[in-house]
Amino acid sequence: MNSERKDSQIESSTDTAVGGEVLRVENLRKWYPLRKGFMETLLSKVEASVKAVDLVSFSLGKGEIFALAGESGSGKTTLGKLVLRLVEPTSGKIFFQGKDITELSQRELKPLRREMQIIFQDPFESLNPRMIIKEIIAEPLRVQHLAKTEEEVEERVKQVLTEVEVVPPEEFLYRFPHELSGGQRQRVAVARAFILNPSFVVADEPVSMLDVSIRAEIVNLMVDMVRKHSASIIFISHDLALAKHIADRIAIMYLGKVMELSTSENVVDLPLHPYTQALIAAVPIPDPESKRTKDVISGEIPSPVNPPSGCRFRTRCPYAHERCSTEEPPLVEVEKGHFVACHLYT
Ligand code: SF4
């Protein structure tokens, strides 16, 4: 991190990605304009917008598991879609494997699509109910024209089904999603994401809709697939214990901004930002004597249409002081590889 960036009032890029860089985003922003009625348009000069992601920067290393965590409404999912260009950024830059892909047309993006995949939260909705498993998994192969014959398609589908332990694969090829359990469906979604051997995957809360009893095995499967395919993954989760278990680094988001970013151990065991500290304190632990409660963060997350001035967390922060309402804290490196956006450290 150079000092020029460190002093900047805009979010700084974090260059501690492990194993070389696969993805880098710089000052990424996604504002959704709000629809207004006729009278509102006449009366208000300022265009209101939902500030879903606001000046976010980070990089992702080759083979890295990077978790995005925070409450719902923090902008995690929007950020995951932005980096894949599934939604268009309002401003900022996205570099994939060193190439600026921010302005590429969908046609220009097509060859890169095989390298970038997404696994959605809900396997009940993300798999087309009218398609058989073979076609669901084979679709990316067909779109990219990467299999010459029908035999090759079937062989590759069977191979990836075996990898995700949906076995014997022959028994599942001609079934529909509703004939599978929730866990099997998410395994199929993982198979579909990995059939093209991508170098980068976004997994958006991939186990939150599954029964608690099978979450660990699906998470472990994903980690195995990431390692086996030497891929990098952005793992979106509100579950900090899970994020710590699997991720190399964690970024904590609040109201569209990164509040803290560091190694999983730093973020979970030595959190510096008051928001992260509150999130950690709210994680339930199985000790009836524990003082940890779920009510550690008081109040509701404010509206992303009109976020608080200065620090966005100030309306819920026990350490808020005058400066917090007037000055937005930049994300700065307070220890090596540990970035925090809070005036307590500047
Ligand atoms: Fe709290 Fe102020 Fe730090 Fe924001 S900048 S987290 S309000 S102390």
Side-chain angles (χ1 to χ4, degrees):
M1 175 68 54
N2 64 42
S3 57
E4 219 173 282
R5 275 195 170 164
K6 206 167 169 174
D7 294 339
S8 166
Q9 287 301 302
I10 56 174
E11 304 291 333
S12 304
S13 173
T14 59
D15 48 13
T16 51
V18 293
E21 196 174 273
V22 169
L23 176 85
R24 178 158 46 94
V25 301
E26 292 179 357
N27 300 321
L28 208 54
R29 179 176 257 171
K30 181 63 186 178
W31 288 11
Y32 292 99
L34 269 189
R35 285 196 178 183
K36 289 192 287 187
F38 178 68
M39 284 309 288
E40 282 172 293
T41 311
L42 279 183
L43 294 172
S44 161
K45 288 192 181 108
V46 184
E47 182 92 2
S49 43
V50 177
K51 295 157 185 80
V53 170
D54 210 8
L55 296 174
V56 166
S57 302
F58 67 93
S59 58
L60 177 71
K62 191 169 184 315
E64 182 175 19
I65 299 180
F66 184 91
L68 279 179
E71 291 167 287
S72 57
S74 59
K76 309 182 297 288
T77 295
T78 305
L79 182 56
K81 289 181 176 168
L82 277 173
V83 299
L84 294 172
R85 287 279 318 274
L86 295 177
V87 296
E88 294 302 321
T90 305
S91 61
K93 291 277 182 201
I94 307 162
F95 296 88
F96 179 65
Q97 295 176 339
K99 185 182 168 89
D100 184 352
I101 64 163
T102 324
E103 306 281 333
L104 293 188
S105 67
Q106 289 303 323
R107 203 167 131 257
E108 289 167 321
L109 274 174
K110 193 178 166 191
L112 292 175
R113 287 274 174 233
R114 74 181 71 160
E115 299 277 349
M116 312 158 94
Q117 296 292 320
I118 186 163
I119 299 166
F120 291 102
Q121 181 176 30
D122 188 352
F124 300 87
E125 280 190 0
S126 65
L127 306 181
N128 187 333
R130 286 183 288 277
M131 283 168 79
I132 56 171
I133 301 306
K134 176 185 163 187
E135 288 311 313
I136 288 171
I137 298 176
E139 199 177 27
L141 270 184
R142 296 194 197 281
V143 169
Q144 295 281 348
H145 307 292
L146 290 175
K148 291 190 183 73
T149 63
E150 205 42 44
E151 289 70 35
E152 193 184 338
V153 169
E154 188 158 319
E155 209 36 57
R156 294 203 37 192
V157 171
K158 284 202 284 195
Q159 196 183 337
V160 76
L161 273 176
T162 307
E163 276 186 63
V164 298
E165 294 162 25
V166 176
V167 285
E170 302 78 17
E171 278 191 21
F172 292 88
L173 288 177
Y174 297 96
R175 290 197 199 175
F176 288 92
H178 74 267
E179 297 175 272
L180 272 54
S181 67
Q184 285 170 332
R185 283 185 226 199
Q186 202 56 314
R187 285 173 188 273
V188 166
V190 173
R192 181 187 152 96
F194 279 92
I195 194 166
L196 297 183
N197 201 23
S199 55
F200 171 46
V201 177
V202 172
D204 185 6
E205 301 263 14
V207 294
S208 61
M209 303 294 281
L210 300 178
D211 195 273
V212 175
S213 62
I214 56 166
R215 285 182 189 173
E217 65 188 61
I218 300 295
V219 166
N220 289 337
L221 168 77
M222 279 188 201
V223 173
D224 286 349
M225 293 294 277
V226 166
R227 301 280 185 236
K228 193 169 166 186
H229 290 259
S230 305
S232 310
I233 187 166
I234 290 182
F235 192 94
I236 297 170
S237 177
H238 62 272
D239 183 340
L240 272 171
L242 176 64
K244 185 194 171 191
H245 175 61
I246 65 161
D248 299 303
R249 289 188 300 155
I250 301 176
I252 302 289
M253 289 190 72
Y254 184 77
L255 271 182
K257 287 198 160 289
V258 172
M259 294 283 153
E260 183 159 5
L261 193 168
S262 192
T263 60
S264 302
E265 289 72 23
N266 276 346
V267 170
V268 177
D269 298 335
L270 302 163
L272 296 178
H273 196 286
Y275 178 55
T276 317
Q277 290 169 351
L279 280 180
I280 304 290
V283 172
I285 54 171
D287 175 4
E289 300 296 312
S290 169
K291 293 203 168 50
R292 288 187 184 183
T293 74
K294 279 185 172 290
D295 302 324
V296 176
I297 313 177
S298 59
E300 295 290 312
I301 190 164
S303 164
V305 177
N306 194 14
S309 61
C311 173
R312 292 187 183 194
F313 187 55
R314 73 175 167 82
T315 53
R316 301 167 83 190
C317 178
Y319 309 105
H321 48 284
E322 209 180 322
R323 190 177 166 204
C324 305
S325 61
T326 53
E327 240 182 86
E328 185 163 0
L331 187 71
V332 294
E333 190 173 22
V334 298
E335 293 164 0
K336 186 160 173 38
H338 198 154
F339 299 81
V340 184
C342 172
H343 289 312
L344 296 177
Y345 304 95
T346 56

